[in-house]
Amino acid sequence: MNMDFNFLMNNVVRQARDEITAAGYTELRTPEEVDASLSKKGTTLVMVNSVCGCAGGIARPAAAHAIHYDKRPDQLVTVFAGQDKEATAKARSYFEGYPPSSPSFALLKDGKICTMVERHEIEGHDPMAVVQKLQAAFDQYCDEV
């Protein structure tokens, strides 16, 4: 049974990774990749991915749809909470003033946190409500495409 569970979890994780990268986000799997990406000039949206239901049913669909907008971040990246632990911890070190939360979104500008959409703003909400929160942040901090 344990092997079946591991097989299922690996498939769930793979599907979650594939879903967000297919939407145009670059996966950051090491602390070095996180530093290289998050220290860049410009705006960066970080999607903190996870295997929970609200990630698959709300956060990842919102991540995919929010970026089809007049304004959007210069860079789209993702870390995977519970899977790439060191990369996620490094990303969270940039989210000053915000507690760890997954799934979540962080919008950074020139390596500094601007705002976050935390789990409590995702879980139990409609994906379009999350899209609207993200796009409101894009309006405030991002340039037109």
Side-chain angles (χ1 to χ4, degrees):
M1 174 146 150
N2 193 24
M3 193 157 106
D4 289 339
F5 176 77
N6 287 336
F7 178 77
L8 284 174
M9 279 309 295
N10 287 339
N11 280 341
V12 167
V13 169
R14 188 178 311 99
Q15 181 179 347
R17 288 183 191 279
D18 291 349
E19 195 175 329
I20 196 68
T21 56
Y25 290 71
T26 300
E27 218 176 8
L28 307 176
R29 297 185 78 169
T30 68
E32 294 78 18
E33 290 174 347
V34 169
D35 273 339
S37 288
L38 300 193
S39 63
K40 287 182 181 174
K41 290 283 183 207
T43 52
T44 302
L45 181 64
V46 182
M47 193 272 182
V48 180
N49 203 355
S50 75
V51 293
C52 74
C54 62
I58 303 166
R60 286 192 299 274
H65 292 289
I67 58 175
H68 300 285
Y69 194 60
D70 293 341
K71 292 184 176 183
R72 65 177 254 183
D74 300 314
Q75 182 176 213
L76 305 169
V77 299
T78 183
V79 293
F80 207 126
Q83 299 298 314
D84 301 322
K85 294 176 182 165
E86 292 175 356
T88 302
K90 179 52 91 172
R92 286 178 172 153
S93 75
Y94 284 81
F95 310 159
E96 215 170 280
Y98 292 93
S101 175
S102 61
S104 63
F105 296 91
L107 185 63
L108 293 91
K109 186 166 193 163
D110 300 334
K112 302 287 183 212
I113 187 75
C114 296
T115 190
M116 280 196 78
V117 177
E118 299 174 85
R119 181 187 176 109
H120 69 85
E121 298 173 276
I122 297 169
E123 189 175 32
H125 291 81
D126 181 89
M128 284 313 293
V130 178
V131 167
Q132 290 169 347
K133 284 181 186 293
L134 290 170
Q135 290 177 343
F138 299 169
D139 280 336
Q140 189 171 353
Y141 298 105
C142 300
D143 296 327
E144 287 201 29
V145 181

